[in-house]
Amino acid sequence: MAWMTRFLTAVAFLAIGVIFSPETFGSKSAKITSFVKLAHLLCFSTAWGAALWVTFIGGIIMFKNLPRHQFGNLQSKMFPAYFMMVGICCAVTVGCFGYTHPWKSSSTAEKYQLGFLVSAFVFNLTNLFVFTPMTIEMMKQRHKLERESNIGEEIGWTKNKEVAKVNPKLAAMNKKFGMIHGLSSLANIMSFGSLAMHSWYLAAKIDL
């Protein structure tokens, strides 16, 4: 109920803004363009804000305050939803930007921007359907090996490396997990970087 209340409140404020917008009383084409621009702005800002929080703030806070296995289990639930949400937002942003900037009449800069947005979308899809499922599965296997060695409940930095020196199975799993997790992190950073490029483009267009 609390979630629904917050959602309806946000929708109500958005509706009020639309009603009092000058374009509301303009032509049909002007209304459509305004709605497309609004969808572009909201979806881009949602994707950008979520990526910023998850990548540089939320994850670090959780890592420093939760037992490591609990942190990993929480991330395994959060990241699929995160990549799905950002992916959907990127898809809408791509569609809206493509609508307002047809390829044939677009400038070189606008074509680059579309490329950045498509890249962000593709990187998120790769994480959602490839790297994240693999990372979660390997994390579960590594947690099992760690529990057998009575580690994983510590907060922050792990005793994993010390135990892995005398446990070949854990050492091999660490290597596999590190590789896949690294690729997932790289794809996330590349997506964030692509969105950052678009934020610079939008800032140049705003007349304050």
Side-chain angles (χ1 to χ4, degrees), residues 140-157:
K140 292 178 179 179
Q141 295 177 23
R142 190 167 79 154
H143 281 188
K144 181 179 179 182
L145 291 175
E146 289 178 332
R147 283 193 294 269
E148 293 173 356
S149 299
N150 296 316
I151 61 173
E153 296 306 316
E154 65 276 5
I155 295 176
W157 299 109

Side-chain angles (χ1 to χ4, degrees), residues 160-181:
N160 176 291
K161 290 184 178 180
E162 296 177 10
V163 177
K165 293 178 181 177
V166 294
N167 189 329
K169 288 185 178 180
L170 183 57
M173 181 55 64
N174 285 344
K175 186 176 181 180
K176 292 179 181 179
F177 177 82
M179 180 181 68
I180 299 301
H181 185 265

Side-chain angles (χ1 to χ4, degrees), residues 121-141:
F121 174 65
V122 171
F123 283 125
N124 271 283
L125 281 190
T126 303
N127 249 327
L128 178 62
F129 293 112
V130 181
F131 295 139
T132 295
M134 294 173 67
T135 301
I136 292 173
E137 180 59 32
M138 289 184 182
M139 180 201 72
K140 292 178 179 179
Q141 295 177 23

Side-chain angles (χ1 to χ4, degrees), residues 41-120:
L41 181 61
L42 291 180
C43 287
F44 168 76
S45 59
T46 298
W48 166 257
L52 178 65
W53 175 262
V54 171
T55 305
F56 299 105
I57 303 173
I60 296 174
I61 292 174
M62 288 188 288
F63 176 77
K64 290 184 176 181
N65 291 277
L66 291 176
R68 198 165 53 79
H69 282 185
Q70 186 177 340
F71 165 74
N73 290 331
L74 178 60
Q75 294 284 73
S76 71
K77 302 298 183 183
M78 185 180 72
F79 270 102
Y82 161 66
F83 288 126
M84 181 177 292
M85 182 192 73
V86 175
I88 291 172
C89 287
C90 287
V92 174
T93 305
V94 167
C96 292
F97 192 82
Y99 178 85
T100 54
H101 300 84
W103 183 263
K104 291 184 179 180
S105 59
S106 293
S107 65
T108 300
E110 291 166 348
K111 291 179 180 178
Y112 274 122
Q113 291 305 312
L114 186 60
F116 290 137
L117 294 174
V118 170
S119 296

Side-chain angles (χ1 to χ4, degrees), residues 170-197:
L170 183 57
M173 181 55 64
N174 285 344
K175 186 176 181 180
K176 292 179 181 179
F177 177 82
M179 180 181 68
I180 299 301
H181 185 265
L183 290 173
S184 177
S185 297
L186 177 61
N188 185 53
I189 288 294
M190 293 298 290
S191 173
F192 180 82
S194 298
L195 292 173
M197 292 291 223

